[in-house]
Amino acid sequence: MNQTSALNPAAVLELARQVLRIEADAVAALSERLDDDFLKAVSLILNCSGRVIVSGIGKSGHVGRKIASTLASTGTPAYFVHPAEASHGDLGMILRQDVLIALSNSGESTELLAIVPIIKRQGAKLIAMTGNVKSALAKEADAHLDAAVAQEACPLNLAPTASTTAALALGDALAVALLDARGFGPEDFARSHPGGSLGRRLLTHVRDVMRAGAAVPQVSLQASLAEAVLAISKGGLGMTAVVDAQQRIQGIFTDGDLRRAFERDVDLKSVPITAVMTANPRCIGVDKLAVEAVEMMERHKINQLLVADSEGRLQGALNMHDLFQAKVI
């Protein structure tokens, strides 16, 4: 291998741009070749009572792992099986009610062709994704997905580059078509991604992050301003709820209300809380999504929010800090 002593910036950038153009053209060409076999592949998977198994070797194996992962995260139960391992026992993981997606650019992978007769014999369906419609693997398939490319992006036209990009894009097209056919929505996606930001946003409810019970400062309608200030100080939420004898929320008194009261030069001990509180405050239900609480607080420029039941009774409270800690924001 020759190693150049100097880098030609213009040549490097032009080569990189050429690679991207070749790969973009390869992916664009796929859309023109989608046909009834693609529809058949979608139908086979939708009607599959088992799971989708994806298999491939070398670079096709790496692409296959990603396709299996994408399918699994978008509502189609799927996993990857290495074809060589399948010949040494892992074939028992594939059952007659399953569908096998086999990836091979040449369509002549020895490891895949070794397991295809067994797969077919036991009744499992085969979807082949190859770059050669006349290959042995394509001929054996119940549905063939044509992932052929005009050329590799490698200057030697040898290293799998455009072909792996095309196979990856075709796998994404299959996964998204299945997602849409299943009516798979954001909440379904969140359930398979509970550790991600989307999962937190769509699966975290107000009841999961709110303060409740003794952790929620509250005073009665008969309380004085001084009692409300004491409740705020003890509660650590920057506010206190004001409730009637039936625990129905009548108002909220916040740090901001306290500052405004001082600006009016009110008497801390004699002024009743009803004279300085914010009456009929905005509230949210326990079953609402935490992101809805964030949206309400941002829209109305408030930092605290009371939580109420359908009868308006106090159930809890939360502030922006709680939502930050829960990583909802």
Side-chain angles (χ1 to χ4, degrees):
M1 181 174 67
N2 295 324
Q3 188 170 358
T4 57
S5 57
L7 190 70
N8 184 333
V12 169
L13 289 175
E14 179 51 35
L15 179 59
R17 293 186 180 110
Q18 183 180 351
V19 168
L20 294 176
R21 284 193 294 268
I22 291 171
E23 298 206 5
D25 289 344
V27 171
L30 292 176
S31 64
E32 303 300 323
R33 298 202 302 271
L34 292 181
D35 55 16
D36 288 344
D37 265 39
F38 184 85
L39 296 175
K40 191 184 298 182
V42 171
S43 181
L44 284 172
I45 295 173
L46 282 176
N47 295 318
C48 167
S49 59
R51 294 176 182 267
V52 174
I53 295 89
V54 186
S55 191
I57 198 161
K59 299 299 186 293
S60 292
H62 295 311
V63 173
R65 289 181 189 276
K66 194 275 179 185
I67 291 175
S69 177
T70 300
L71 287 168
S73 70
T74 52
T76 300
Y79 59 91
F80 179 83
V81 171
H82 194 285
E85 298 295 338
S87 294
H88 294 276
D90 283 2
L91 202 56
M93 301 167 76
I94 306 174
L95 305 176
R96 63 171 309 182
Q97 62 265 35
D98 295 334
V99 171
L100 174 68
I101 300 178
L103 281 77
S104 169
N105 188 42
S106 68
E108 303 292 346
S109 168
T110 303
E111 294 85 356
L112 281 173
L113 291 175
I115 65 173
V116 163
I118 303 169
I119 297 295
K120 301 283 285 185
R121 192 178 306 131
Q122 68 183 17
K125 299 299 183 182
L126 173 65
I127 298 171
M129 186 186 297
T130 80
N132 182 0
V133 296
K134 296 181 179 179
S135 65
L137 192 59
K139 291 176 181 178
E140 291 292 335
D142 297 290
H144 176 249
L145 302 180
D146 184 2
V149 298
Q151 67 179 109
E152 297 289 5
C154 164
L156 304 175
N157 199 32
L158 294 174
T161 44
S163 59
T164 51
T165 300
L168 193 62
L170 193 52
D172 285 343
L174 185 62
V176 172
L178 289 163
L179 174 154
D180 184 68
R182 294 184 193 281
F184 191 85
E187 290 195 4
D188 300 302
F189 190 86
R191 275 190 286 274
S192 61
H193 298 74
S197 60
L198 179 61
R200 286 191 295 272
R201 289 174 63 83
L202 292 181
L203 296 180
T204 303
H205 291 80
V206 168
R207 64 174 173 270
D208 300 320
V209 294
M210 72 180 191
R211 316 280 183 97
V216 182
Q218 59 178 284
V219 296
S220 71
L221 279 169
Q222 291 73 41
S224 66
L225 174 55
E227 289 174 303
V229 171
L230 184 60
I232 289 177
S233 179
K234 289 182 177 179
L237 278 174
M239 67 91 203
T240 182
V242 183
V243 298
D244 62 17
Q246 287 75 43
Q247 285 288 294
R248 291 190 296 261
I249 298 169
Q250 302 299 312
I252 188 172
F253 185 70
T254 68
D255 286 338
D257 293 321
L258 179 60
R259 287 192 296 273
R260 285 184 285 274
F262 281 143
E263 288 172 0
R264 290 161 48 195
D265 198 25
V266 300
D267 184 358
L268 193 65
K269 293 182 179 180
S270 64
V271 171
I273 190 59
T274 52
V276 290
M277 72 180 187
T278 298
N280 302 313
R282 293 180 179 87
C283 300
I284 194 167
V286 293
D287 293 324
K288 294 292 187 180
L289 290 172
V291 289
E292 293 181 78
V294 174
E295 190 278 330
M296 185 183 294
M297 293 163 82
E298 289 179 339
R299 177 158 42 95
H300 297 292
K301 296 180 172 59
I302 55 178
N303 294 316
Q304 303 94 353
L305 197 58
L306 296 177
V307 183
D309 65 13
S310 59
E311 302 297 323
R313 290 185 292 265
L314 180 65
Q315 300 296 304
L318 48 79
N319 62 15
M320 278 294 188
H321 182 68
D322 297 323
L323 296 165
F324 272 117
Q325 280 195 319
K327 297 182 180 179
V328 176
I329 302 176

